[in-house]
Amino acid sequence: MEQSLPTERDLEAMRTVDVHKVDPETLHDIRDVQIKTELPKQERMLDFLRQIGNPYCYRHGKYIVKISFSETDVTLEDRLLSYIRSKC
């Protein structure tokens, strides 16, 4: 059975998880995720989603991690370079 990408509704539900109310036991630990680099990009993404469950809210050990993204054309690489340059 082929796994499909989450729907917009699924993604919205994942994005809006309340970090203060979520049961940590229901979250996957990112340290347990194994990226299979030999897979094609789409299959890697699907495998990552299958392993992590919610890519917006997960655990790292005893810590709950909640991430979000800004609506911008600036890439993560651009932001990191800017940050590094500001520290030099």
Side-chain angles (χ1 to χ4, degrees):
M1 184 168 99
E2 186 174 310
Q3 186 178 2
S4 61
L5 291 172
T7 65
E8 281 297 318
R9 178 178 275 173
D10 295 335
L11 289 173
E12 184 59 26
M14 291 178 196
R15 270 193 290 269
T16 59
V17 166
D18 185 338
V19 71
H20 301 290
K21 294 180 181 176
V22 69
D23 178 0
E25 295 301 315
T26 65
L27 301 175
H28 297 267
D29 193 318
I30 192 131
R31 298 173 303 167
D32 296 331
V33 172
Q34 299 293 317
I35 304 297
K36 298 175 181 130
T37 56
E38 71 279 2
L39 294 175
K41 182 179 179 180
Q42 174 113 358
E43 289 180 40
R44 274 196 315 266
M45 291 182 342
L46 291 172
D47 188 56
F48 173 79
L49 287 173
R50 182 188 58 73
Q51 291 182 65
I52 199 66
N54 183 345
Y56 297 99
C57 189
Y58 52 85
R59 282 186 305 111
H60 184 277
K62 66 180 182 177
Y63 299 102
I64 295 174
V65 178
K66 173 81 187 244
I67 62 170
S68 62
F69 300 93
S70 299
E71 293 293 328
T72 179
D73 290 334
V74 180
T75 67
L76 176 59
E77 184 176 354
D78 294 337
R79 294 276 188 217
L80 289 172
L81 285 171
S82 176
Y83 175 76
I84 292 167
R85 287 182 182 132
S86 74
K87 298 299 177 185
C88 293

